[in-house]
């Protein structure tokens, strides 16, 4: 099953939307529309199903109103506000409980790496924290497969001192566990989405979009 984003640009890259039974990673710098895309997905899924939304950065109530329009639909979205990295793991377990008792088709973690990033400042904890991040994503992939749920995670960027290039956080293990990866980039007027990894759509394809009050267009 596919959960459409509602953006013609993004859905054309994904073959119709995000796939259930797997993990989709969306990465990009601030202002590229990651959260907007997550809210659009939540809105479409909430029309017929329940949604678990793990929020680590503070959702804007105004943005929710803009995207959802009819906020009564938002009652099908269970929002977990998380403030510490260890709480993120607890929220994932709560999301699994929800899958057992409710008709959930979408789990969103926005952003999956922001609290992890703050923990990396303690060098003594780095190895443990990196293992925990991989463990959390492995757990999410297990939920996706067991309950046929679409899991969407957003990811931040960092500057690689070795190459001088900007890369998504988390390293190879996060990329390996994410079966679909979508890159979002800022431009002068338009933003650009590129399909980095997919199980059955052509990788490397791109399209251009705008962020408006209504969401991502076209």
């Amino acid at each position: 099953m596919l959960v459409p984003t509602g953006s013609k640009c993004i859905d054309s890259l994904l073959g119709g939307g995000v796939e259930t039974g797997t993990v989709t990673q969306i990465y990009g710098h601030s202002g590229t529309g990651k959260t907007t895309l997550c809210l659009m997905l939540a809105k479409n899924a909430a029309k017929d199903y329940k949604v678990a939304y793990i929020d680590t950065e503070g959702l804007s109530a105004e943005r929710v109103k803009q995207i959802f329009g009819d906020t009564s639909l938002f009652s099908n979205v269970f929002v977990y506000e998380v403030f510490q990295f260890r709480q993120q793991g607890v929220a994932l377990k709560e999301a699994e409980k929800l899958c057992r008792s409710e008709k959930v088709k979408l789990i969103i973690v926005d952003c999956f790496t922001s609290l992890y990033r703050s923990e990396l400042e303690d060098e003594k904890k780095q190895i443990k924290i990196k293992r925990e991040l991989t463990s959390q994503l492995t757990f999410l992939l297990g939920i996706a497969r067991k309950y046929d749920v679409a899991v969407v995670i957003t990811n931040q960027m960092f500057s690689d001192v070795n190459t001088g290039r900007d890369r998504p956080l988390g390293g190879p293990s996060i990329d390996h566990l994410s079966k679909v990866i979508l890159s979002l980039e800022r431009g002068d007027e338009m933003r650009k989405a590129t399909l980095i990894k997919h199980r059955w759509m052509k990788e490397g394809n791109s399209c251009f979009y705008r962020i408006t009050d209504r969401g991502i267009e076209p």
Side-chain angles (χ1 to χ4, degrees), residues 67-121:
I67 300 298
F68 272 74
D70 178 11
T71 51
S72 65
L73 200 59
F74 198 65
S75 63
N76 284 334
V77 181
F78 295 81
V79 179
Y80 301 84
E81 288 187 319
V82 179
F83 304 98
Q84 294 178 324
F85 183 59
R86 58 186 176 83
Q87 291 178 329
Q88 186 167 297
V90 175
L92 298 186
K93 289 173 184 172
E94 290 298 317
E96 187 195 19
K97 288 180 186 175
L98 195 67
C99 290
R100 291 184 216 151
S101 60
E102 301 281 353
K103 201 167 67 166
V104 175
K105 270 298 166 192
L106 176 65
I107 296 174
I108 293 169
V109 188
D110 180 32
C111 167
F112 184 64
T113 53
S114 60
L115 299 174
Y116 157 81
R117 187 176 205 161
S118 62
E119 293 278 351
L120 286 176
E121 293 173 7

Side-chain angles (χ1 to χ4, degrees), residues 193-212:
T194 304
L195 189 63
I196 305 298
K197 180 181 178 182
H198 202 280
R199 299 199 288 186
W200 45 275
M201 289 295 289
K202 186 178 179 182
E203 298 171 349
N205 279 353
S206 299
C207 65
F208 294 88
Y209 62 94
R210 291 185 182 87
I211 300 174
T212 71

Side-chain angles (χ1 to χ4, degrees), residues 18-60:
V18 296
E19 202 177 347
T20 57
T22 194
V23 172
T24 297
Q25 177 190 161
I26 302 167
Y27 70 73
H29 285 289
S30 176
T32 51
K34 300 186 298 293
T35 296
T36 295
L37 194 56
C38 286
L39 287 172
M40 290 169 69
L41 278 164
K43 177 185 177 181
N44 284 325
K47 291 172 183 175
D48 298 300
Y49 302 98
K50 304 292 186 182
V51 177
Y53 198 118
I54 298 167
D55 169 35
T56 69
E57 297 187 319
L59 271 177
S60 161

